[in-house]
Amino acid sequence: MRSWIIILFGLLASGYFTDVYSDSTMQAIVCPLIFTLLIIISIVKAAITTSFASDRSSADSSGFLGGGGFISGSGSSSGSSDCSGGGGDC
C-alpha cells in the first residue's frame, strides 16, 4: 500500500511540475520522464497484483469454468436430463 501512495504522490508532483515548453531542463525533460516511468510502473504493478490475486483466488475456489454448476455439468438439477424415463420428451 505504501508503494501505491509513493507512486501516486510522484505522479501528482511530476505532473504538476511538467512544462514541456519551459526552458528549464527539470520541467521540460526530467518531470515528463518521471511521469512516464511512474505510469509504466503503476501499470506493471497493477497487472502483477491482479495476476497474483487471480492465481490465488483460483486455487482457493472453483474458478469460473472449472467448478461445479451449470457450465461444467457437475451441478445438480431437479429434473431428469438423461431421457431414460418413459416420457418421450427427448
Side-chain angles (χ1 to χ4, degrees):
M1 181 68 182
R2 188 177 356 175
S3 63
W4 283 111
I5 294 171
I6 293 170
I7 289 172
L8 182 65
F9 179 73
L11 282 171
L12 290 174
S14 62
Y16 180 77
F17 289 111
T18 295
D19 183 14
V20 293
Y21 297 112
S22 175
D23 291 333
S24 169
T25 305
M26 183 71 164
Q27 289 180 334
I29 297 171
V30 176
C31 284
L33 286 176
I34 291 173
F35 186 81
T36 305
L37 182 69
L38 288 174
I39 288 286
I40 292 170
I41 288 172
S42 64
I43 290 171
V44 169
K45 184 173 175 60
I48 290 172
T49 304
T50 304
S51 173
F52 178 71
S54 68
D55 288 344
R56 198 171 105 198
S57 68
S58 67
D60 294 341
S61 65
S62 61
F64 182 69
L65 294 175
F70 180 72
I71 295 176
S72 67
S74 65
S76 63
S77 65
S78 60
S80 175
S81 62
D82 60 355
C83 295
S84 63
D89 293 330
C90 293

